[in-house]
């Protein structure tokens, strides 16, 4: 056990040195009191098993980059395998911890750990500092401004934040004094493990790395997009293509989700680009996208059971069905609808798909075609998305399934017409569903319509080389609209019964 006291900064979704006030607090405390500084990360083995390997790779790369950057300022990252709640209590004693800093998280699993850790820390007289630094605005302050209730529309949210001044971003680049180093500073046991060490054999789903993790990469990517001033000022989300081969939006989301990039820095850089230029506006502008993130965060922070239908007071109850085969076909990209399948396969391979592509497959799974709960879809997204984020995932799934925020359930995406708008020859489908590569454009979205002779010439007979459709969209979506209408009626009646009579 060490004889000197320590200050711990627990890195979680703040894998960066810029805009990290909690870490700055830790450094100041360690230097002022001549304590040892211990920046830690807990790699949760349970989580590793369920999350897709691409996201794990992104995380490992981000941790490696963080460690490199920490070493440049004369400190390092101490990585532990296990849950924080299991590791920290021992470390508190072993390291004689006096001060613990971290970012504020709203994911209930993390909150639960935080509460347990807080109790132990209190007994040991450890001072805890937590900072809201995953969003531009302090969502708790926004909720207070709205008298404690969740702003249910985007416009309402914007009106609440419009006069809030966003503080400048701080940077940590000063060398940390030698007295903050521990004697086990160079110990390899705390090094960031390699992907090979973690997953040994199973690399089947690992594909080429399109989006390497880390703060360094995040800042590079941000610079690249912010230098395209005209592109930023003309950005209109609904007009960006869901099926372009190269992404039509920034793909900054994995960096924001892991905290390699601070939302506040992104905000200030966008304001700088917009300043003095004609530019598009929220909700469609790029700044408007960032505000969607803030909107869902605030809703997530203010709603109990936000990621569930039951016990979630903003979520409409819909009697979803169960169909494990359909769910599997959807998740694996073998529904027989080439556009849906291409999207799901891109998701599985690359860990990122365009927002409108997410719309397409989320609508298809839920109210559009398969009538399966959005909670099931959200779990699949949690496994595969590099940018998985507890509140953004749940919030957007509720939107798409018309369970909250959005109520035009009768507007259903067509798996045939929607993709054609931006890619009539189906180049995107040809890339991700290569079985259909040789199909004539006329049939690429509806290969079952191709005459047998064409199917044979294209080298892929439907039902043999590529699945038959698992449902008939034309028929089923109309039935589902009826079911939605019925569910809305029942919910309305239920609410009316709950309302006190005057
Ligand atoms: P850009 O268009 O370049 O936007 C810039 C940033 O704004 C994004 O990086 C993101 O942080 C934020 N943003 C943009 N759109 C949204 C939105 N609708 N909601 C919240 N934030 C937004 N996004 C996640 O980050 N994590 C998720 O787990 C997630 N799950 C989703 C699930 C469904 C069913 C749907 C429909 C959307 C989901 N999104 C999620 C939102 C959105 O699709 C992605 O944030 C966006 O596509 C990321 O790509 P980008 O960085 O190129 O976005």
């Amino acid at each position: 056990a060490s004889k000197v006291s320590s200050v711990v900064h627990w890195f979680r979704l703040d894998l960066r040195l810029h805009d990290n006030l909690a870490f700055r607090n830790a450094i100041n405390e360690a230097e002022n009191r001549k304590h040892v500084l211990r920046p830690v990360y807990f790699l949760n083995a349970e989580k590793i098993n369920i999350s897709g390997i691409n996201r794990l790779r992104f995380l490992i790369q981000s941790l490696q980059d963080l460690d490199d950057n920490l070493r440049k300022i004369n400190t390092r990252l101490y990585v532990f395998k296990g849950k924080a709640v299991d590791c920290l209590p021992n470390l508190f004693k072993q390291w004689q911890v006096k001060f613990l800093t971290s970012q504020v998280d709203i994911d209930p699993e993390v909150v639960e750990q935080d509460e347990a850790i807080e109790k132990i820390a209190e007994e040991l007289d450890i001072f805890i500092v937590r900072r809201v630094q995953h969003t531009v605005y302090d969502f708790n302050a926004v909720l207070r401004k709205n008298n404690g209730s969740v702003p249910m529309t985007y416009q309402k949210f914007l009106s609440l934040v419009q006069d809030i001044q966003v503080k400048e971003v701080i940077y940590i680049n000063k060398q940390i004094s030698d007295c903050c180093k521990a004697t086990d500073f160079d110990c390899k046991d705390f090094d960031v493990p390699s992907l090979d060490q973690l997953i040994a054999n199973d690399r089947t789903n690992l594909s080429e790395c399109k989006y390497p993790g880390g703060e360094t990469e995040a800042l590079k990517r941000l610079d690249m997009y912010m230098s395209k001033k005209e592109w930023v000022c003309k950005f209109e989300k609904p007009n960006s293509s869901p099926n372009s081969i190269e992404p039509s939006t920034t793909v900054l989301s994995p960096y924001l989700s892991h905290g390699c990039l601070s939302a506040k820095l992104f905000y200030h850089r966008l304001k700088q680009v917009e300043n003095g230029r004609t530019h598009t506006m929220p909700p469609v502008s790029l700044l408007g996208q960032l505000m969607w993130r803030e909107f869902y965060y605030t809703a997530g922070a203010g709603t109990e059971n936000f990621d569930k239908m039951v016990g979630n007071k903003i979520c409409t109850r819909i009697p979803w069905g169960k169909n494990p085969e359909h769910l599997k076909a959807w998740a694996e990209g073998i529904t027989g609808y080439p556009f849906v399948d291409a999207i799901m396969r891109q998701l599985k391979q690359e860990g990122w798909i365009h927002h409108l592509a997410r719309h397409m497959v989320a609508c298809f799974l839920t109210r559009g075609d398969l009538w399966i709960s959005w909670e099931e879809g959200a779990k699949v997204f949690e496994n595969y998305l590099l940018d998985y984020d507890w509140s953004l995932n749940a919030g957007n799934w509720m939107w798409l399934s018309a369970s909250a925020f959005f109520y035009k359930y009768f507007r259903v995406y067509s798996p045939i017409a929607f993709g054609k708008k931006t890619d009539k020859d189906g180049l995107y489908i040809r890339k991700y569903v290569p079985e259909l590569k040789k199909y004539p454009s006329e049939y690429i979205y509806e290969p079952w319509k191709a005459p047998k002779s064409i199917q044979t010439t294209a080298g892929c007979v439907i039902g043999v080389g590529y699945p038959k459709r698992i449902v008939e969209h034309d028929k089923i979506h109309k039935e589902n609209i009826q079911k939605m209408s019925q569910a809305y009626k029942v919910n309305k009646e239920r609410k009316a019964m709950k309302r006190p009579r005057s």
Side-chain angles (χ1 to χ4, degrees):
S2 73
K3 288 189 201 73
V4 278
S5 307
S6 308
V7 170
V8 170
H9 176 70
W10 173 9
F11 277 101
R12 350 209 264 195
L13 298 180
D14 57 336
L15 304 179
R16 60 172 187 269
L17 297 192
H18 71 276
D19 191 30
N20 198 332
L21 193 56
F23 185 42
R24 162 69 79 82
N25 293 152
I27 294 173
N28 289 351
E29 182 73 8
E31 293 208 313
N32 289 344
R33 297 187 187 271
K34 305 226 170 343
H35 286 349
V36 169
L37 178 69
R38 308 267 196 174
V40 299
Y41 188 86
F42 299 99
L43 254 175
N44 186 346
E46 277 170 43
K47 280 271 176 203
I48 292 169
N49 292 333
I50 62 152
S51 47
I53 186 169
N54 289 325
R55 181 141 59 89
L56 179 61
R57 173 172 61 192
F58 190 94
L59 173 65
I60 294 295
Q61 290 165 338
S62 302
L63 294 176
Q64 193 58 62
D65 184 60
L66 179 64
D67 187 43
D68 292 346
N69 290 338
L70 286 170
R71 284 174 195 272
K72 285 181 198 148
I73 57 163
N74 201 30
T75 181
R76 66 163 296 174
L77 191 63
Y78 293 79
V79 179
F80 295 88
K81 278 189 227 160
K83 273 177 140 182
V85 71
D86 300 327
C87 304
L88 262 178
N90 291 336
L91 295 176
F92 282 164
K93 289 183 188 148
Q94 196 186 333
W95 288 346
Q96 301 200 32
V97 176
K98 299 284 178 227
F99 200 80
L100 173 70
T101 60
S102 71
Q103 101 352 320
V104 170
D105 202 335
I106 59 169
D107 178 336
E109 268 181 46
V110 184
V111 172
E112 200 184 309
Q113 280 201 71
D114 279 348
E115 284 165 3
I117 289 164
E118 215 163 283
K119 270 199 198 128
I120 301 166
E122 208 169 292
E123 281 163 23
L124 296 171
D125 244 349
I126 299 169
F127 197 78
I128 295 185
V129 171
R130 280 201 210 101
R131 299 279 184 188
V132 174
Q133 51 189 27
H134 200 49
T135 43
V136 176
Y137 302 104
D138 177 346
F139 36 77
N140 291 322
V142 178
L143 288 169
R144 279 196 300 275
K145 229 176 149 192
N146 201 37
N147 301 319
S149 62
V150 168
M152 287 299 290
T153 67
Y154 181 79
Q155 291 306 332
K156 175 74 191 169
F157 172 82
L158 288 187
S159 74
L160 288 168
V161 299
Q162 68 177 356
D163 55 357
I164 299 179
Q165 200 67 28
V166 180
K167 285 208 185 103
E168 282 306 319
V169 164
I170 57 145
Y171 289 87
I172 297 168
N173 38 28
K174 182 174 99 21
Q175 289 288 304
I176 289 159
S177 45
D178 275 335
C179 69
C180 294
K181 275 185 172 178
T183 48
D184 56 8
F185 187 85
D186 291 317
C187 180
K188 295 249 174 284
D189 296 349
F190 307 121
D191 283 357
V192 179
S194 67
L195 197 58
D196 283 334
Q197 282 169 306
L198 291 171
I199 49 150
N201 308 318
D202 189 13
R203 302 179 75 89
T204 32
N205 290 330
L206 193 66
S207 54
E208 178 208 351
C209 180
K210 268 188 102 166
Y211 311 108
E215 179 181 14
T216 309
E217 192 63 33
L219 295 176
K220 239 197 271 172
R221 200 170 179 92
L222 178 70
D223 281 345
M224 195 263 283
Y225 277 102
M226 294 306 103
S227 69
K228 302 202 290 181
K229 298 189 172 62
E230 200 183 322
W231 182 83
V232 171
C233 290
K234 288 189 171 158
F235 185 93
E236 284 183 301
K237 188 64 164 270
N239 293 334
S240 61
S241 164
N243 45 7
S244 53
I245 300 297
E246 284 310 313
S248 60
T249 54
T250 65
V251 196
L252 284 170
S253 51
Y255 303 94
L256 288 161
S257 295
H258 286 79
C260 303
L261 173 65
S262 121
K264 223 186 257 174
L265 178 63
F266 190 16
Y267 171 92
H268 282 302
R269 294 289 300 273
L270 282 170
K271 281 281 186 195
Q272 263 171 22
V273 174
E274 288 184 348
N275 190 20
R277 295 184 175 88
T278 311
H279 58 81
T280 51
M281 297 291 285
V284 299
S285 63
L286 207 44
L287 192 72
Q289 302 315 301
L290 198 51
M291 291 301 113
W292 280 111
R293 184 174 184 274
E294 299 291 314
F295 168 71
Y296 285 119
Y297 246 92
T298 310
T303 311
E304 241 177 89
N305 298 313
F306 189 65
D307 60 343
K308 299 184 177 64
M309 179 173 81
V310 176
N312 175 347
K313 68 174 193 288
I314 68 168
C315 183
T316 304
R317 293 254 192 131
I318 296 163
W320 303 112
K322 279 201 171 34
N323 189 328
E325 273 131 56
H326 281 181
L327 177 62
K328 190 160 181 261
W330 174 82
E332 299 195 345
I334 45 170
T335 65
Y337 282 95
F339 187 40
V340 172
D341 292 344
I343 296 168
M344 292 308 291
R345 293 188 199 183
Q346 184 191 15
L347 170 63
K348 202 167 163 186
Q349 279 168 35
E350 297 172 9
W352 181 88
I353 48 177
H354 186 276
H355 182 59
L356 295 174
R358 298 180 201 208
H359 274 223
M360 175 72 245
V361 294
C363 181
F364 188 87
L365 180 76
T366 57
R367 65 190 167 86
D369 297 77
L370 302 184
W371 199 253
I372 291 174
S373 166
W374 62 269
E375 288 177 57
E376 296 297 332
K379 277 186 220 155
V380 173
F381 269 30
E382 175 175 354
N383 278 349
Y384 294 137
L385 278 176
L386 293 179
D387 63 28
Y388 166 71
D389 189 299
W390 181 78
S391 55
L392 307 189
N393 196 38
N396 276 286
W397 270 100
M398 279 191 271
W399 178 295
L400 260 299
S401 58
S403 300
F405 310 115
F406 171 81
Y407 305 99
K408 294 181 184 159
Y409 58 80
F410 42 85
R411 279 173 52 178
V412 170
Y413 287 95
S414 156
I416 294 130
F418 185 50
K420 278 189 191 169
K421 282 200 279 186
T422 39
D423 178 23
K424 76 175 173 14
D425 291 324
L427 299 181
Y428 175 77
I429 293 173
R430 291 172 207 280
K431 174 165 176 169
Y432 293 100
V433 189
E435 309 91 288
L436 301 175
K437 186 161 76 195
K438 296 201 181 121
Y439 264 67
S441 297
E442 190 184 348
Y443 299 114
I444 190 80
Y445 284 87
E446 306 170 271
W448 60 87
K449 283 196 175 162
K452 258 286 161 51
S453 60
I454 291 188
Q455 296 188 16
T456 311
T457 318
C460 180
V461 172
I462 302 308
V464 182
Y466 180 71
K468 290 187 174 154
R469 292 175 292 166
I470 56 170
V471 288
E472 272 184 49
H473 174 75
D474 280 349
K475 238 170 76 188
I476 201 102
H477 88 274
K478 289 183 189 142
E479 290 169 22
N480 289 346
I481 290 174
Q482 292 309 315
K483 289 200 225 168
M484 283 299 286
S485 158
Q486 183 59 21
Y488 267 44
K489 224 166 98 194
V490 172
N491 273 276
K492 211 169 153 191
E493 285 163 8
R494 192 183 291 149
K495 269 192 201 149
M497 278 187 9
K498 274 193 192 155
R499 219 171 285 141
R501 283 171 207 203
S502 52

